[in-house]
Structures are given as structure tokens and as C-alpha cells.
Amino acid sequence: MTSADYIHHHLTNLHTGQGFWSVNWDTLIIGWILAALLIVTGWRIGRRLEQGAPKGVQNLLESAVEFVSTQVSEIFDGRDPLVGPVALTIFVWVFLMNAMDMLPADLLPMLAGAAGVPHLKAVPTTDLGTTAGLALGVFLLVLHANLKVKGVGGYLKTFLFHPFGKWLMPINIVMTLIEEISRPLSLALRLFGNMFAGELVFLLIALLPWWIGWVPGSLWAIFHILVITLQAFIFMLLSIVYLSMAHRTEHD
Amino acid sequence: MNLTVTLFGQMITFAVLVWFVRRVLWEPLTALMADRSRRIEDGLTAAERGRHQEELARAQATKLIREAKSKAAEILAQAEERRAEIAEEARREAVQERARVLAAATAEIDHKTAQARERLRAELGGLVIEGARRVLGAEIDGARHGALIDTMTGAL
């Protein structure tokens, strides 16, 4: 097996179907497993919350909630009970999916191979489907907030009179359209690009001889702890910012 | 690495997860934390109030102790005074008693002396008469000279 084959193998999803209509089962299933992990943990903790000093997992979850809550209250000035849960979900779920990158690059594919599964991409956020799905979800929420706060007419008006006033209406339409579309696009591509590149670097390191591979491997893994956290944080923060902007009625 | 229909699967997962996180994590935990921070605030207020009350109680206790001390001193002074009074009274009574006993004893002595003198006088009269009779034989008649003898013994 050549190096190119190795990398190509590792970057191929377990999929059925062709082209756009192919379903990447590994992305979906690992995403579900991580979501289920969050659900089960949250459910077990949520059933018996400690009113006093929190311990263990509850403490961890409370820290996450408090962290996200602080960000939301600092950025978001509207009133929407969904923003906090959305931000928390993005942060934790993206973090968990990113964290799959911390497992040895070959571990899950080899186990899957032993079980007869030909391909397995362990990190769901290295699949554009995941990042675009999240970004599209945020986009729909932003759209919904825009329509709810500004009304259909008010929202369409921002396309006409923003950002240059009524005399440059055609340019305004183009500019606002680009602005609206570039947000989910940049959200999706930023996370995808970072995680994909990170995974690729791990694969390249895995191709090094065994007696030297651990040096760059360890360094990159340590650096990557920062990257996975930071990317989850950025995705969450930008989602809050976009939602907050959608809730603002008068910009100028 | 193309965009595939996986996108919609992940969107649905995301939507379900948001719903769940909101119901089971976000709402209970934020409520719990708000509740806890309120309780901590209450606790701090209560502690502050308790500290204040303790200060007041301490001041009150100090005042009470000072009062008790002055009262005790007063009682001691009164007791001292009373003791002196009692001692004085006792002394006075003792003096009176001594005087009384002395007077009684003196009276007794005087009485006994008078009695003895009376008896002596009577005996002496008898003895004088007896002696005179013996000297003078039947010269002196007791019946006749009785008044004279009485006068003599009375002069004794």
C-alpha cells in the first residue's frame, strides 16, 4: 500500500450512494454516538441535580453551561430562550466530534477493518456534511429570527437599503446577499478546513518511521487540543453573534 | 470530501440535540445555578446579619457583666456594712449582758451579805444573852431585858 493509498483510504467515508446523494454512515453514526453520549450523560445528571456544591460530571456540565451562558449574555442583547441551548449544543457537540481527532488516527479504522467495515473516518467534523449541516441549522435560526424580529418586509428592506442607503440599491442587494450567504459558508468551511487539515497532518505523521513519528505526533496532538477547543468555541461564538445581529432591529 | 446528503442527517441530529439540551441540560441547570446563586447570596446576607447580631450580643454581654460586677460590689459593700452593724450590736448586747449579770451578782452578794449579817446578829444576841446569863445566873431575865438586847444587837 503506497502512502497515497493510505491517505486516500483514511479520507474516504463509509458511504452508500453516489455523488450528492451518498450517505456517509460513519459521520452520521459517530455523530449519533457522541450526541447519545451527551444525551445519556445529561439525562443521568439531570435526574438528580445536586442543589449544594456540585460534584463530578455535574460540575463539568455546570461549568460548560456557565461558560456558554456568560458568552451569550455578553454578546446577545435580545431575548430568545433558544440561543443558550443552541450555543451549548454547538460547543459541546462540535468539541466532542473534534475530540475524536485525539484518538490515534489508525485505531478506529483498524478496528472497523477487523470487523469487516472497509472505510471509517473517525472525525465527523472532517466531513463537510457535518459542518455545513450545523452552519445551515444556524443559518435557518438566523433567518427565522430575522423574519420574526423584522418581519418579512423589514427583512427584505435590509437587502435594499443596507449598507449604502437607497441610492445604491442594486449594490446593496448584492452586498447583503453575499453577506448573508458568506456567514454560513465561512462557518462551515472554517471548521471543516481546520479539522480536515489537522487530520491530514496526523495521517502524514503516521506515515513517518515509527521511531520518529511520536515526536511530531505528540507535538501536533498537544497543539491540536487547542485547535479542537478553539474551533468549537469559534463556531459557537459566531453563531451567537449572527443570532444577536438578527435580533437587532436598527443597525444604523 | 464532497458535500453530500449527510448534511441533512447531521442537521436533524443537531435539531434533536438542541431540543434535548434545552430541556434536560440548559433549563434545569440555569435554573439550578440561579437558585444556588440566590441561596449563596441569602447565606452571605444571613452571615452578615449574624455577625452583626453577634456584635450586638457581645456588647450586650459586656454591659451585663459590667452591671453585674457593680451590683456585686454594691452587695459586698452592703454585706460589709451589715456585718459591722451586727458585730456592733453583738458587742453592745454583750456589754449590756455583762452589766446585767454583774448587777445581778452584786445584788445577790449584797443579799447574801445582809442575810449572813442578820443571822450573825441573831446568833450573837443569843450568844450574848447566853453568856451574860451564865455570868449573871438568873440575873438577867430574857423576857424583861429582851428589848435592851434587841437594841444592842441592832447597833451591831
Side-chain angles (χ1 to χ4, degrees):
Chain A
M1 194 162 81
T2 65
S3 303
D5 286 339
Y6 173 79
I7 289 177
H8 185 258
H9 176 263
H10 272 271
L11 292 183
T12 306
N13 283 103
L14 174 69
H15 65 280
T16 54
Q18 285 301 313
F20 177 75
W21 295 107
S22 67
V23 177
N24 296 335
W25 290 106
D26 47 3
T27 299
L28 285 177
I29 290 170
I30 290 175
W32 289 338
I33 290 171
L34 293 173
L37 187 73
L38 181 58
I39 286 176
V40 169
T41 311
W43 190 67
R44 281 189 53 197
I45 295 302
R47 268 194 320 172
R48 41 194 174 82
L49 288 173
E50 283 286 336
Q51 182 56 256
K55 293 189 199 74
V57 185
Q58 189 190 333
N59 204 349
L60 188 71
L61 288 175
E62 280 189 19
S63 305
V65 168
E66 182 139 46
F67 172 68
V68 174
S69 177
T70 310
Q71 300 298 333
V72 170
S73 61
E74 273 175 9
I75 299 166
F76 191 74
D77 20 66
R79 191 164 297 171
D80 187 349
L82 208 56
V83 174
V86 165
L88 181 64
T89 308
I90 289 172
F91 183 61
V92 178
W93 197 36
V94 170
F95 176 80
L96 286 175
M97 289 192 291
N98 288 353
M100 294 301 288
D101 222 358
M102 290 286 104
L103 293 176
D106 276 332
L107 180 65
L108 290 182
M110 274 171 79
L111 289 175
V117 178
H119 294 283
L120 187 81
K121 235 170 102 183
V123 189
T125 39
T126 58
D127 185 338
L128 200 51
T130 303
T131 61
L134 283 165
L136 203 55
V138 172
F139 176 74
L140 290 179
L141 285 169
V142 167
L143 198 64
H144 174 253
N146 266 321
L147 294 178
K148 200 173 80 179
V149 174
K150 302 186 179 81
V152 180
Y155 183 51
L156 289 178
K157 244 186 237 167
T158 63
F159 281 83
L160 298 180
F161 304 122
H162 180 81
F164 293 126
K166 61 181 173 177
W167 300 113
L168 290 168
M169 216 178 271
I171 298 176
N172 285 344
I173 293 173
V174 175
M175 291 290 282
T176 312
L177 209 60
I178 290 173
E179 193 186 325
E180 293 293 303
I181 292 170
S182 71
R183 283 177 191 166
L185 211 61
S186 69
L187 265 186
L189 289 178
R190 183 184 302 106
L191 181 58
F192 168 72
N194 272 283
M195 296 318 296
F196 190 81
E199 179 74 354
L200 201 60
V201 170
F202 273 123
L203 292 178
L204 291 173
I205 290 168
L207 287 169
L208 290 173
W210 63 269
W211 47 267
I212 190 69
W214 61 274
V215 177
S218 315
L219 289 174
W220 185 243
I222 292 167
F223 177 64
H224 220 57
I225 295 172
L226 186 70
V227 172
I228 62 175
T229 317
L230 198 66
Q231 287 305 320
F233 175 67
I234 288 172
F235 204 111
M236 175 197 81
L237 204 68
L238 287 175
S239 303
I240 302 172
V241 169
Y242 294 155
L243 283 167
S244 171
M245 285 164 79
H247 275 267
R248 237 169 264 163
T249 40
E250 291 300 320
H251 319 241
D252 312 357
Chain B
M1 57 171 131
N2 298 316
L3 188 60
T4 66
V5 77
T6 312
L7 161 89
F8 297 110
Q10 291 294 73
M11 272 180 77
I12 294 165
T13 314
F14 179 51
V16 172
L17 201 54
V18 166
W19 176 83
F20 168 81
V21 163
R22 181 182 176 184
R23 271 215 46 206
V24 175
L25 278 180
W26 185 266
E27 281 169 358
L29 278 180
T30 46
L32 175 91
M33 282 153 75
D35 196 42
R36 182 188 297 140
S37 80
R38 198 167 50 243
R39 279 184 6 167
I40 288 172
E41 214 163 276
D42 288 352
L44 287 176
T45 315
E48 182 59 34
R49 201 166 48 231
R51 216 175 54 78
H52 186 64
Q53 277 173 352
E54 194 230 338
E55 236 165 58
L56 284 180
R58 204 176 279 278
Q60 179 75 12
T62 312
K63 206 179 109 197
L64 280 175
I65 288 171
R66 205 163 43 235
E67 274 177 13
K69 268 184 185 161
S70 79
K71 192 160 278 183
E74 202 175 293
I75 288 168
L76 270 177
Q78 275 177 2
E80 177 63 27
E81 206 172 293
R82 180 90 187 106
R83 188 189 67 80
E85 251 171 41
I86 289 168
E88 177 60 27
E89 207 169 292
R91 206 179 57 78
R92 210 165 44 237
E93 264 174 24
V95 167
Q96 279 174 0
E97 181 70 13
R98 191 189 60 166
R100 207 167 51 75
V101 170
L102 205 59
T106 309
E108 176 85 10
I109 288 167
D110 285 353
H111 179 64
K112 287 270 168 73
T113 309
Q115 267 184 350
R117 188 175 289 154
E118 195 61 34
R119 205 162 50 236
L120 211 61
R121 198 188 288 151
E123 258 173 49
L124 192 60
L127 277 176
V128 168
I129 290 170
E130 187 62 29
R133 190 165 50 208
R134 283 205 186 152
V135 173
L136 302 175
E139 277 301 298
I140 296 164
D141 185 4
R144 275 194 296 170
H145 301 106
L148 179 70
I149 290 163
D150 278 346
T151 311
M152 283 173 65
T153 54
L156 215 89

